[in-house]
């Protein structure tokens, strides 16, 4: 699912090597959206595709109307001072490639 919230960068200095994260690890990232609101997300995994790093997250808190977890794929970019930021994938073709890559990784890991 494409994220429509346009969650923009939050500096995150922790090095993460694994593609998938065990639920017991409970890695939570706090991201800041365009309106300045901080939102907590569970980090589910990360992967590289065509030289870019992507992270897959889902909101820690969901509204009562949400029965289903929404997965969000964010692109990791580096700022001027080498800080990390996670941004929406704005190009539809890039988003489709990232979503397909995540699905393949997920299927191969959990089948």
């Amino acid at each position: 699912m494409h994220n429509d919230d346009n969650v923009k960068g939050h500096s995150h200095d922790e090095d993460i090597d694994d593609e998938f994260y065990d639920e017991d690890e409970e890695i939570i990232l706090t991201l800041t959206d365009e309106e300045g609101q901080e939102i907590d997300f569970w980090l589910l995994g990360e992967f590289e595709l065509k030289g870019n790093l992507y992270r897959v997250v889902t909101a820690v808190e969901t509204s009562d109307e949400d029965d289903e977890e929404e997965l969000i794929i964010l692109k990791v970019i580096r700022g001027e001072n080498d800080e990390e930021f996670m941004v929406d994938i704005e190009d539809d073709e890039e988003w489709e490639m990232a979503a397909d890559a995540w699905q393949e990784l997920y299927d191969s890991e959990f089948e």
Side-chain angles (χ1 to χ4, degrees):
M1 291 181 200
H2 204 3
N3 176 21
D4 294 326
D5 291 340
N6 291 323
V7 175
K8 293 296 177 190
H10 173 77
S11 180
H12 184 72
D13 296 325
E14 186 177 2
D15 288 330
I16 301 171
D17 298 321
D18 299 323
E19 289 179 353
F20 292 92
Y21 303 100
D22 189 323
E23 289 179 14
D24 295 334
E25 291 181 57
E26 295 185 358
I27 297 173
I28 296 178
L29 303 176
T30 301
L31 304 178
T32 305
D33 68 12
E34 290 180 336
E35 297 170 359
Q37 282 188 301
E38 290 188 348
I39 306 166
D40 291 334
F41 291 89
W42 297 106
L43 177 60
L44 303 177
E46 69 178 21
F47 61 95
E48 283 191 40
L49 178 66
K50 295 190 175 191
N52 294 308
L53 180 62
Y54 300 90
R55 291 198 176 128
V56 180
V57 299
T58 189
V60 170
E61 293 184 23
T62 58
S63 69
D64 293 334
E65 299 169 6
D66 293 337
D67 291 336
E68 202 175 293
E69 277 187 354
E70 180 180 6
L71 299 183
I72 302 167
I73 301 173
L74 299 170
K75 184 176 185 176
V76 178
I77 60 171
R78 296 269 179 199
E80 289 179 13
N81 297 321
D82 205 34
E83 65 264 312
E84 258 183 22
F85 293 92
M86 297 187 332
V87 297
D88 281 333
I89 303 169
E90 295 183 13
D91 179 75
D92 289 339
E93 186 176 323
E94 180 183 8
W95 189 88
E96 286 294 327
M97 287 190 319
D100 290 345
W102 172 252
Q103 188 65 52
E104 286 178 31
L105 285 169
Y106 182 87
D107 290 346
S108 67
E109 181 74 17
F110 296 104
E111 280 188 349

